[in-house]
Amino acid sequence: RGALVGVLPELWCFARGEVDKDPKAAADYSASMLQTMLDAARENSIHLCFTLVEQETATSNKLFHTAYLVGPGGVVMKYRKAHLGRSEKAWATPGDALSAACAVPGLGRVALLVGDEVWIPEVSRCLALEAAEIVLHPTDWASAEAGEMAATERASENRFHLVSVTRLDCPGKLGSQTTLAGEYIGGEPIPLMRHPQGVWARHNVEEQILVDLLRRQAHCKMMGDHLDVLKKRFPSLYGACVAPGGSLFTWRNTTKVRPGDYRDELAVVRGALGRKRKYTVMAPPEVHDSTAGEVAQRAG
C-alpha cells in the first residue's frame, strides 16, 4: 500500500504476562524474532518499529525493554526504555539515555518512545528539542486516558507527529492512534489551534491504517499567533526539574506516615455515616529530611 514505516505494539510477539514469567526465555526468543524482522524489512523494503526483550551480551544477566527501528539496511536505531513500569522493574534494567532523534532517509527525523513514558512530559519535550518530526510509540494502553489525554497532550504541546500503536488486548480498551503535529495557518478557532487532530483504530479490531504524515507540520511550533511552544522557554528558571529528588522539599518528605497507617473507622461521608475505605495502593518509601521534626496526626 506504499507505507514507508510500520509500527507494532509493545512486546507484540508475546502473550500478556509471558515476559514477566520467564524474561530469559523471552530474551532468547527476541533474538530470533529480531532477525525475522530484519529479514522482513529487507525483503519488503520497509522500516519497522517494535519492542523486544534485549539481553546485553550472551554472558550478561542484564535485560532491557528495547525499541527498534529496522530498515532494508539493518538496525537503524534502538532505544532501551529508561523509565520502567512496575512489572518491568522485576526483570529489566533502565536505559541510561533517551532516544536520539535520527535523520532517516525517506522518513525524516525519527525518535522512539515506549509505553507509559508518554505520561512523562519531560521525555517528549527532550525529543522535540532534538528536532524530532515523528515519534514512534509502541505501547499497551493501561487506561483510556493514556491515549486520549497523555498522548494527545504530548503531541499538542510539542507539535510533532506521535504514532502510538497498542496491543489489541490493552486494558485501556482504546485503539491505536496517530496524533498529528498540525500546522497553524491563522484564523482557526481556538480548539483547532490548541488541540491536535488524529487518526484512530478501533479497539480489539485487527486493522491496518495508512496515515500520511506531513513533515512540514512538525516544523510549525506555533499555537496561535503568539505562542511558539519551543521558543518561549526559559531554561535558566527550570533548575528544580533537574535537581536530585532527595534534595527537594516536597510532600513526599514531610512525614513518614503512610496512607495505609490511618485507621479504617467510621467517618462522616457526604453527610452520612459510612466505613472509611482503606487505602490499597501505597506510595513508595521516600527520603526524609533528618533535620525536620516529625509531626504525624491520626485521622479522627
Side-chain angles (χ1 to χ4, degrees):
R1 297 174 62 187
L4 298 177
V5 60
V7 184
L8 294 170
E10 182 177 348
L11 297 175
W12 61 283
C13 58
F14 297 101
R16 184 170 299 280
E18 185 178 358
V19 175
D20 297 337
K21 184 177 181 180
D22 193 341
K24 181 60 172 64
D28 294 340
Y29 183 70
S30 292
S32 63
M33 185 54 64
L34 176 59
Q35 186 58 53
T36 299
M37 300 302 285
L38 287 167
D39 294 342
R42 183 182 64 256
E43 293 168 6
N44 295 281
S45 299
I46 193 173
H47 289 81
L48 299 170
C49 177
F50 49 89
T51 76
L52 295 170
V53 179
E54 178 196 7
Q55 185 171 1
E56 186 175 40
T57 64
T59 58
S60 172
N61 292 324
K62 278 189 176 183
L63 302 178
F64 299 90
H65 185 182
T66 302
Y68 294 89
L69 178 65
V70 302
V75 175
V76 177
M77 58 189 298
K78 73 177 184 178
Y79 162 59
R80 292 170 171 172
K81 187 180 181 184
H83 305 84
L84 302 179
R86 290 181 183 178
S87 63
E88 292 168 320
K89 290 179 180 179
W91 59 267
T93 300
D96 57 6
L98 299 181
S99 168
C102 297
V104 181
L107 299 182
R109 289 186 64 84
V110 179
L112 306 177
L113 188 70
V114 178
D116 52 9
E117 287 184 319
V118 75
W119 284 103
I120 306 172
E122 292 84 356
V123 175
S124 292
R125 177 48 56 95
C126 288
L127 301 183
L129 292 171
E130 290 281 346
E133 297 168 326
I134 303 171
V135 177
L136 305 179
H137 178 217
T139 190
D140 178 22
W141 301 132
S143 65
E145 290 80 5
E148 295 173 345
M149 184 172 67
T152 300
E153 279 298 311
R154 297 297 84 81
S156 175
E157 67 197 8
N158 294 293
R159 295 306 203 213
F160 51 47
H161 298 297
L162 180 59
V163 183
S164 304
V165 179
T166 188
R167 295 173 62 104
L168 294 181
D169 62 347
C170 68
K173 296 184 178 180
L174 183 72
S176 300
Q177 74 177 50
T178 299
T179 317
L180 305 178
E183 184 177 23
Y184 179 66
I185 59 177
E188 297 99 323
I190 291 176
L192 189 57
M193 72 174 72
R194 170 63 181 85
H195 301 291
Q197 300 180 64
V199 179
W200 288 266
R202 292 169 291 177
H203 167 61
N204 207 26
V205 177
E206 188 169 354
E207 54 188 353
Q208 298 175 354
I209 297 180
L210 187 64
V211 182
D212 290 327
L213 301 177
L214 302 179
R215 289 181 58 188
R216 73 165 189 270
Q217 289 188 357
H219 293 266
C220 177
K221 302 297 183 181
M222 297 303 296
M223 189 184 291
D225 292 331
H226 307 290
L227 176 58
D228 183 315
V229 297
L230 294 190
K231 189 174 182 179
K232 285 198 172 180
R233 299 171 53 255
F234 304 93
S236 61
L237 304 180
Y238 307 151
C241 291
V242 296
S247 67
L248 299 174
F249 188 79
T250 67
W251 71 269
R252 287 189 178 276
N253 28 19
T254 58
T255 178
K256 292 180 181 178
V257 176
R258 313 305 313 130
D261 292 340
Y262 292 103
R263 296 191 299 273
D264 184 16
E265 60 187 12
L266 289 177
V268 176
V269 181
R270 295 180 183 172
L273 275 179
R275 183 164 292 278
K276 188 173 74 172
R277 181 170 61 87
K278 206 169 189 177
Y279 284 88
T280 57
V281 179
M282 299 289 288
E286 291 85 10
V287 178
H288 301 279
D289 187 351
S290 59
T291 63
E294 190 64 34
V295 179
Q297 294 183 348
R298 311 288 280 186

